[in-house]
Amino acid sequence: MRKEIIINATANEIRIAITEDGRLAELFVETPEKERSVGDIYLGKVAKVMPGIRAAFINLGMKQDAFLHFSDIGSSFSEYSSLIGDEDSDVDIEEDSEGEEVSEENGNQTSTSKTFSPSKTTQSVPPVKRQGFRENGRDRSIPDLKRGQDILVQVTKEPMGKKGVRVTSEVSLPGRFLVLLPFDGKIGASKKIQNFKEKRRLRRIVRSMLPETFGAIIRTVAQEQDEAALRQDIENLLSSWREIEKNIKSEEAPALMYKDMSTTSSVIRDLFSEFVDRIVVDSKKLYKEIRLYVKSVSPELVDKIELYKEREPIFDTFEVEKEIVTALSRKVWLKSGGYIIIEQTEAMVVIDVNSGRYAAKREQELNSLRTNLEAAREVCRQLRLRDIGGIIVIDFIDLEDEKNRKKVYDELRKEFRRERAKVTVLPMTDIGLVQITRQRIRQNILSSFSEPCPVCGGGGLVESKPSIVNHIERWIRRFKSESHEFRLKLKVHSSIAHYLREGTISRLTKMMLRYRLIIRIEEDEKSSPADFYCFSFKQNKDITELYNS
């Protein structure tokens, strides 16, 4: 499979497209208004503890408080608390998955668990108590959080709508070849590293370089890397962690302790590997920055970075722009003539599969199977491209044969193997429904390129003109029942004004005769068609709210 990363940079926006075999697979958008926050580490303050939903809300200095579920408070909470000022917490050294303790190699890398005791003059964290509960069939314990308590957290999910960011107390620092886990002695490795000997070699090297109590997750790109490259990555991450320690001693909550890379840099760090054929970028400045970074971490990949110099827009050349238009559409056509409809609701995403022109009288079961298989592949691609998360329900074309239903289910599972997000797929029901849950980390692509309609409020429908006029007439009836005024100014959208004036004997004339009222209409293009405002000539003010139901 040919894989490329195409980067288009303008003054106000950077778009990163990942293509597979020439088709758009993923899209990232970076703008000053929507800055990436996943990976950022904050010293927060507990704003509210809600045991009923097993969660706490943390003040990070943002518009909405962050959401911290009790399941995201790990076993190393006491160790992190000691950073902030709880010197009574005990620090235990955990063992890694092979039963060996994490050891430090260099004499200048002292065990951080024995030096983390900052004397913070601000509010100290109270002694940590534990409360037990069961989750996923296992006994879990959580710290007894108190309102006003300082806590170190890391953002794991971007804000969604009116919801704030989601955070965890298990802090980690991502690097090029591994992810550093302070206070976690375990050494993990990516499941995509298939070679057992290589995995064992990497574990041994990383374990020998990490200070006591530190753990790490070895990334896929670490395969075949020498000790020098791994050491450089570890030293950079440890340096970042020591800077966080230093800041915690002086900063007051809420405060940002660590800012993760921008979207562009994180994509290069996480996704650029030997499996990517090339990176093409149309900005000289960004081209130089990417080359400089890659040269320092993976010099063997520098030649894969290209500067785009043509006059035609880069996304037009690689046919990315037209696929972005498709990604913003609710209707996606299939090659066979069928199509899928993608509808976003508050609770879930619903996808409907239709046969379209592919419907035939003969071999209905076979035709339905072919359309469903093609739709399954396209749905998986669209979910990745649009970055749709949460609950997804797909309504496939009905299939009579159980074997055919299983074929569609197997096709979905096969396509989802390309996913980096966690996905769960349930088998197809007898009525052709498939339920999927997909990990949601950031806002989907539709949110990046659009905002709710000011007229319909994002619902896609507006109230009909007759219904709006009926609202106005009910308002006038209430007004006349309580007031003796006979003159009124009605401010409405131009489309409603035109509707009221239509006809030989207009609706407005009939209304004035019925209620013995003189109504002067004023058009307002800026207001929503569903809104109307009534002004009293006698009182010289807006009286709309006085007679609303």
Side-chain angles (χ1 to χ4, degrees):
M1 179 176 62
R2 182 175 177 81
K3 192 172 184 178
E4 297 176 322
I5 298 177
I6 315 299
I7 304 176
N8 167 231
T10 62
N12 300 313
E13 181 183 68
I14 298 176
R15 298 183 297 174
I16 307 123
I18 299 175
T19 63
E20 295 175 354
D21 292 331
R23 297 198 70 191
L24 184 61
E26 293 184 71
L27 181 68
F28 302 87
V29 182
E30 182 179 3
T31 62
E33 295 80 17
K34 295 183 178 180
E35 193 175 5
R36 182 177 185 266
S37 60
V38 169
D40 295 351
I41 299 174
Y42 285 85
L43 178 62
K45 192 176 287 291
V46 178
K48 189 183 297 182
V49 180
M50 304 186 71
I53 60 171
R54 291 182 180 174
F57 290 91
I58 313 298
N59 178 13
L60 303 183
M62 299 180 176
K63 289 182 179 179
Q64 292 101 3
D65 289 338
F67 179 82
L68 174 65
H69 194 268
F70 288 166
S71 62
D72 293 321
I73 302 176
S75 57
S76 302
F77 181 76
S78 297
E79 286 83 342
Y80 287 108
S81 296
S82 69
L83 277 174
I84 302 169
D86 182 12
E87 298 181 6
D88 296 329
S89 301
D90 295 326
V91 180
D92 297 325
I93 299 176
E94 294 189 15
E95 294 184 348
D96 69 7
S97 59
E98 294 184 9
E100 298 175 9
E101 288 188 354
V102 177
S103 60
E104 56 182 296
E105 183 184 55
N106 297 335
N108 60 349
Q109 291 181 332
T110 55
S111 171
T112 48
S113 65
K114 298 175 183 177
T115 59
F116 291 165
S117 55
S119 55
K120 197 173 173 74
T121 56
T122 59
Q123 180 181 359
S124 297
V125 177
V128 178
K129 300 178 182 178
R130 316 295 292 192
Q131 294 179 345
F133 71 95
R134 289 183 64 82
E135 185 177 274
N136 297 329
R138 295 182 299 171
D139 290 322
R140 298 284 310 259
S141 60
I142 59 168
D144 186 15
L145 295 174
K146 301 294 183 184
R147 184 176 179 180
Q149 173 181 335
D150 288 358
I151 182 171
L152 192 68
V153 293
Q154 184 170 31
V155 178
T156 58
K157 289 185 181 180
E158 299 281 4
M160 303 286 178
K162 295 181 180 180
K163 298 178 182 178
V165 298
R166 181 160 181 166
V167 296
T168 177
S169 70
E170 290 287 278
V171 174
S172 62
L173 293 179
R176 170 65 175 169
F177 302 118
L178 54 88
V179 178
L180 185 69
L181 306 174
F183 302 120
D184 189 340
K186 296 181 180 179
I187 308 294
S190 169
K191 293 179 180 179
K192 294 182 180 179
I193 302 177
Q194 302 293 335
N195 190 315
F196 176 76
K197 289 184 178 179
E198 175 64 9
K199 189 178 290 189
R200 187 170 59 181
R201 181 187 76 89
L202 292 170
R203 280 175 175 272
R204 177 181 54 78
I205 293 173
V206 172
R207 186 186 299 110
S208 67
M209 294 179 180
L210 286 175
E212 189 178 1
T213 76
F214 277 72
I217 299 172
I218 302 167
R219 311 185 84 152
T220 310
V221 291
Q223 293 181 91
E224 309 302 330
Q225 294 294 328
D226 57 24
E227 292 191 25
L230 296 173
R231 183 183 298 279
Q232 182 63 46
D233 201 34
I234 289 174
E235 288 178 355
N236 291 340
L237 292 173
L238 289 173
S239 175
S240 298
W241 179 250
R242 293 189 187 104
E243 188 67 25
I244 292 172
E245 292 176 342
K246 180 181 176 182
N247 292 337
I248 287 176
K249 297 177 183 179
S250 58
E251 294 289 342
E252 297 288 334
L256 177 65
M257 296 288 102
Y258 169 82
K259 181 68 181 173
D260 197 17
M261 289 182 169
S262 65
T263 301
T264 307
S265 301
S266 65
V267 167
I268 303 302
R269 178 192 67 195
D270 299 341
L271 302 181
F272 186 36
S273 67
E274 60 185 21
F275 303 107
V276 175
D277 291 277
R278 61 173 175 166
I279 293 179
V280 187
V281 56
D282 64 357
S283 164
K284 283 186 179 180
K285 180 183 177 182
L286 204 54
Y287 168 75
K288 291 178 181 178
E289 290 176 1
I290 294 172
R291 278 185 62 90
L292 190 64
Y293 171 73
V294 174
K295 192 174 182 179
S296 66
V297 295
S298 298
E300 71 280 2
L301 300 177
V302 169
D303 293 338
K304 291 187 175 185
I305 306 169
E306 300 177 12
L307 177 63
Y308 182 80
K309 300 178 181 179
E310 304 300 325
R311 296 185 64 181
E312 185 181 15
I314 187 171
F315 273 20
D316 289 349
T317 300
F318 289 91
E319 299 184 344
V320 171
E321 203 70 61
K322 65 180 183 180
E323 294 211 44
I324 294 176
V325 174
T326 302
L328 298 176
S329 172
R330 63 188 289 269
K331 189 174 187 177
V332 180
W333 285 97
L334 306 175
K335 290 182 179 180
S336 65
Y339 60 91
I340 60 175
I341 299 290
I342 302 174
E343 293 283 4
Q344 179 91 43
T345 72
E346 186 71 22
M348 66 181 71
V349 173
V350 181
I351 302 175
D352 186 34
V353 180
N354 296 281
S355 58
R357 299 190 303 267
Y358 199 52
K361 294 181 179 178
R362 297 181 180 179
E363 298 181 343
Q364 181 179 348
E365 179 79 1
L366 182 59
N367 289 337
S368 297
L369 175 61
R370 288 173 180 168
T371 303
N372 282 342
L373 290 174
E374 186 181 359
R377 292 188 285 271
E378 185 61 31
V379 164
C380 294
R381 193 177 81 90
Q382 290 295 327
L383 293 182
R384 284 182 65 201
L385 174 57
R386 300 173 188 235
D387 202 15
I388 293 173
I391 301 172
I392 302 143
V393 176
I394 309 173
D395 182 11
F396 284 100
I397 302 170
D398 290 345
L399 294 169
E400 303 265 342
D401 195 334
E402 174 63 30
K403 291 181 181 179
N404 290 337
R405 290 198 289 265
K406 189 177 185 304
K407 284 181 182 178
V408 177
Y409 171 67
D410 291 340
E411 187 70 18
L412 282 169
R413 295 195 62 182
K414 185 189 79 173
E415 289 296 315
F416 277 130
R417 286 174 190 159
R418 300 182 185 183
E419 277 277 14
R420 289 181 292 112
K422 295 177 183 177
V423 179
T424 302
V425 186
L426 297 182
M428 183 184 289
T429 66
D430 293 341
I431 58 174
L433 297 180
V434 173
Q435 300 172 68
I436 298 172
T437 58
R438 186 177 183 272
Q439 183 185 22
R440 176 163 39 198
I441 296 176
R442 59 192 175 98
Q443 288 186 334
N444 61 48
I445 188 175
L446 193 60
S447 302
S448 301
F449 287 102
S450 61
E451 58 187 24
C453 171
V455 176
C456 69
L461 297 171
V462 294
E463 194 172 2
S464 66
K465 295 182 182 68
S467 178
I468 295 169
V469 170
N470 289 337
H471 281 309
I472 294 172
E473 188 167 348
R474 284 193 291 271
W475 187 95
I476 291 174
R477 188 182 294 121
R478 286 190 293 270
F479 167 73
K480 288 298 293 181
S481 67
E482 300 179 27
S483 172
H484 298 291
E485 296 183 41
F486 60 91
R487 294 183 66 201
L488 198 67
K489 183 174 77 173
L490 178 62
K491 192 174 182 180
V492 293
H493 189 267
S494 57
S495 62
I496 304 301
H498 179 71
Y499 182 75
L500 284 168
R501 293 180 180 130
E502 278 181 346
T504 306
I505 302 177
S506 69
R507 295 175 181 86
L508 179 62
T509 302
K510 292 177 181 177
M511 200 180 295
M512 289 193 291
L513 291 172
R514 185 179 301 120
Y515 297 103
R516 296 180 183 180
L517 185 67
I518 297 173
I519 302 174
R520 194 184 82 187
I521 289 184
E522 181 179 318
E523 297 182 13
D524 181 13
E525 292 290 346
K526 295 181 180 179
S527 67
S528 165
D531 294 334
F532 65 90
Y533 305 93
C534 298
F535 294 84
S536 166
F537 279 98
K538 185 177 181 179
Q539 302 178 53
N540 194 27
K541 67 176 184 180
D542 184 351
I543 57 172
T544 312
E545 291 299 322
L546 295 177
Y547 303 99
N548 268 337
S549 56

